[in-house]
């Protein structure tokens, strides 16, 4: 059974990734303690874990805030994801085997069957879809035997969720996201590492191109 600290961490993380807490939002301990029904010590522990994942950041004398977003940061994040995630994916193709392929197929099936938008807010990704999307991308890379590389890749993917959630209306209009996921699945089923790497690279870069073209992102790095 999860501890109170684990529950607060999970709730805060879900609120950030779903866009209920926006990039740059302050995270005052008193308000969060009341909102999540936890002590300030528990809230601090949760925020410290989220800071290690890059979803929030600590500011001297000001406490914590949700990590801000910028065009420069998104470009840097994109290059890092393309370098790391494609490396991990190649190792997954080399070492994953049938069990890995089975997990990818199963998580893709769940993702495909999960409504993408929240039923009470058509401008927000549903929590269930976000969880299914993360599970699919995690499964893609889980065939890699190097756990440290997998951890780095997971952290980068989580950082990208801030951008995805923040500008979801743009991505819905300009992309065939289910088709991009299908291309990744097809490559895994075919055992084609080159096609998989190409599909993943295109998938990551399309997010960046769409957001920079359509969102009001500053070129300044987060301050």
């Amino acid at each position: 059974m999860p501890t109170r600290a684990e529950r607060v961490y999970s709730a805060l993380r879900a609120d950030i990734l779903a866009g209920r807490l926006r990039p740059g939002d302050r995270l005052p301990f008193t308000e969060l303690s009341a909102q999540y029904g936890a002590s300030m010590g528990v809230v601090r522990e949760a925020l410290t874990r989220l800071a290690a994942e890059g979803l929030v950041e600590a500011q001297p004398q000001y406490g914590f805030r949700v990590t801000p977003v910028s065009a420069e940061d998104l470009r840097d994040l994109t290059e890092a994801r393309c370098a790391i995630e494609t490396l991990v994916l190649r190792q997954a193709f080399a070492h994953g085997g049938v069990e890995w392929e089975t997990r990818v197929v199963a998580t893709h099936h769940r993702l495909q069957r999960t409504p993408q938008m929240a039923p009470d807010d058509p401008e927000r990704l549903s929590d269930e879809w976000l969880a299914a999307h993360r599970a699919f991308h995690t499964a893609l890379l889980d065939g890699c035997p190097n756990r440290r590389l997998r951890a780095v890749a997971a952290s980068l993917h989580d950082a990208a969720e801030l951008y995805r959630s923040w500008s979801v209306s743009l991505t819905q209009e300009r992309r065939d996201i289910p088709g991009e996921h299908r291309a990744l699945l097809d490559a895994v089923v075919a055992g084609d590492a080159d096609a998989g790497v190409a599909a993943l690279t295109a998938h990551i870069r399309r997010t960046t191109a769409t957001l920079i073209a359509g969102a009001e992102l500053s070129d300044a790095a987060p301050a």
Side-chain angles (χ1 to χ4, degrees), residues 6 20 26 28 63 81 124 153-154 161 167-168 177 183 187 202:
E6 188 70 31
R20 289 184 288 271
R26 303 288 179 188
R81 289 188 67 197
R124 179 174 64 82
E161 293 285 7
S167 299
V168 62
I177 295 177

Side-chain angles (χ1 to χ4, degrees), residues 122-153:
E123 294 297 312
R124 179 174 64 82
L125 293 170
S126 73
D127 292 348
E128 294 78 14
W129 189 88
L130 284 168
H133 182 257
R134 188 173 193 273
F136 174 66
H137 277 272
T138 298
L140 279 172
L141 305 183
D142 267 354
C144 170
N146 189 315
R147 61 183 178 83
R148 288 190 177 273
L149 280 175
R150 293 199 312 271
V152 173

Side-chain angles (χ1 to χ4, degrees), residues 174-213:
R174 305 181 186 185
R175 292 176 65 184
D176 176 16
I177 295 177
E180 293 174 30
H181 291 146
R182 168 61 67 175
L184 286 162
L185 174 69
D186 290 346
V188 170
V189 172
D192 190 336
D194 289 339
V197 166
L200 182 58
T201 301
H203 184 56
I204 294 170
R205 291 195 181 282
R206 282 192 189 104
T207 299
T208 301
T210 300
L211 296 186
I212 289 178

Side-chain angles (χ1 to χ4, degrees), residues 4-91:
R4 175 168 294 183
E6 188 70 31
R7 289 196 297 272
V8 172
Y9 158 78
S10 297
L12 263 169
R13 191 175 187 278
D15 285 343
I16 291 170
L17 295 183
R20 289 184 288 271
L21 292 171
R22 306 279 286 177
D25 279 357
R26 303 288 179 188
L27 299 169
F29 288 114
T30 303
E31 292 181 17
L32 294 178
S33 294
Q35 181 177 347
Y36 296 102
S39 68
M40 285 193 284
V42 167
V43 170
R44 179 181 291 278
E45 180 182 340
L47 291 172
T48 300
R49 287 182 63 182
L50 291 167
E53 296 177 6
L55 295 179
V56 308
E57 62 180 26
Q59 295 181 287
Q61 300 181 355
Y62 291 100
F64 290 84
R65 66 175 175 175
V66 180
T67 301
V69 296
S70 73
E72 181 181 347
D73 180 59
L74 179 55
R75 293 187 188 102
D76 288 347
L77 176 59
T78 299
E79 292 306 312
R81 289 188 67 197
C82 287
I84 297 298
E85 291 189 38
T86 56
L87 170 64
V88 176
L89 184 60
R90 281 198 181 278
Q91 291 202 18

